[in-house]
Amino acid sequence: MTVPNTPPEPARADAAAEPGAVPDPFAPPPVSDAEPPAGLPAAPPVAEHPLPAELRIGSGVVLVCLLVGLVMAGLWAWLAPKVPLVVDGDRILYVDPEGEQRAGADAVFVLIGLGAGLLTALGAFLVTRKRGGGISVALGLAIGGLLGSIGAWKLGRWLGPSDNLIGEARRVGNGGHFDASIDLGALGALLVWPMTAMVVLLALSAAFGKREEDPPPYWGVSAGTYGAPAEGASGAAPAPVDARPGAEEPRQG
């Protein structure tokens, strides 16, 4: 037995349609998950595997920095001022005891590190500008710049004059001249490359980096989206019409 004035049960969306059944006119329309509601912005696509992509970019930046470190080592071994030595009997003496060649080698290394930091940061920014950079670029420049500096220091010492002073003195003989090995007096010069790369990358990202569009505010959605009556062509709401029999239509002003 049914209680009078009982409203019909709402149709379930997941119920299977019976053959020959009449659709319920009061049933709500099905909502598709693929399309957002009218007037609302579409949700941004979600990256499926962001971690491998970031790792690839970071490792690529580190690899490029290591290759630049090889060039830096050759330049340092070539441009660094040499310390001349002379053999005097059983002693090895400086030709110029007050020379500044040791400090000059550090200065050359710092200048080459500045150029390497500027070059790698600019290249990494231009390559990754369309995708918006990312933390992987900064980490790659920091780690790659430090490893590249250490590699350039070690390899530059090997490419420069030999550090075997006794062997070199025996080779040139008494009164002969030869150059001492190049080395860094201040190991803080190894941080010049990564620090320069970080500063340049930050400046480029702030000045020319990719800008993300701000989402519209929740109060910026048009009222018609939520079922409000739309305005007429003149901007005013249409006048109500009386549907009773014999009612006069509103006059047009």
Side-chain angles (χ1 to χ4, degrees), residues 54-203:
E54 296 294 331
L55 288 178
R56 288 194 299 269
I57 294 174
S59 59
V61 173
V62 172
L63 180 60
V64 172
C65 290
L66 293 178
L67 296 178
V68 176
L70 299 179
V71 180
M72 180 178 177
L75 290 176
W76 185 50
W78 176 37
L79 299 176
K82 308 301 186 296
V83 179
L85 302 176
V86 60
V87 179
D88 183 14
D90 57 350
R91 297 179 301 174
I92 301 176
L93 304 177
Y94 289 103
V95 175
D96 185 9
E98 298 181 358
E100 299 292 338
Q101 290 85 356
R102 293 289 187 185
D106 291 4
V108 171
F109 191 91
V110 168
L111 292 177
I112 299 176
L114 287 172
L118 177 62
L119 179 63
T120 52
L122 180 59
F125 174 77
L126 294 178
V127 172
T128 61
R129 182 181 181 183
K130 293 184 178 180
R131 65 179 299 275
I135 189 63
S136 60
V137 180
L139 289 178
L141 286 175
I143 298 175
L146 182 58
L147 295 179
S149 295
I150 296 176
W153 170 42
K154 298 293 184 179
L155 184 60
R157 292 177 56 186
W158 180 76
L159 293 176
S162 175
D163 57 352
N164 187 5
L165 298 182
I166 304 299
E168 290 294 316
R170 291 175 178 176
R171 182 180 61 84
V172 298
N174 187 21
H177 294 73
F178 65 97
D179 295 330
S181 61
I182 59 175
D183 200 356
L184 286 179
L187 296 181
L190 299 175
L191 302 177
V192 173
W193 180 352
M195 293 178 63
T196 302
M198 291 292 97
V199 173
V200 173
L201 180 64
L202 179 60

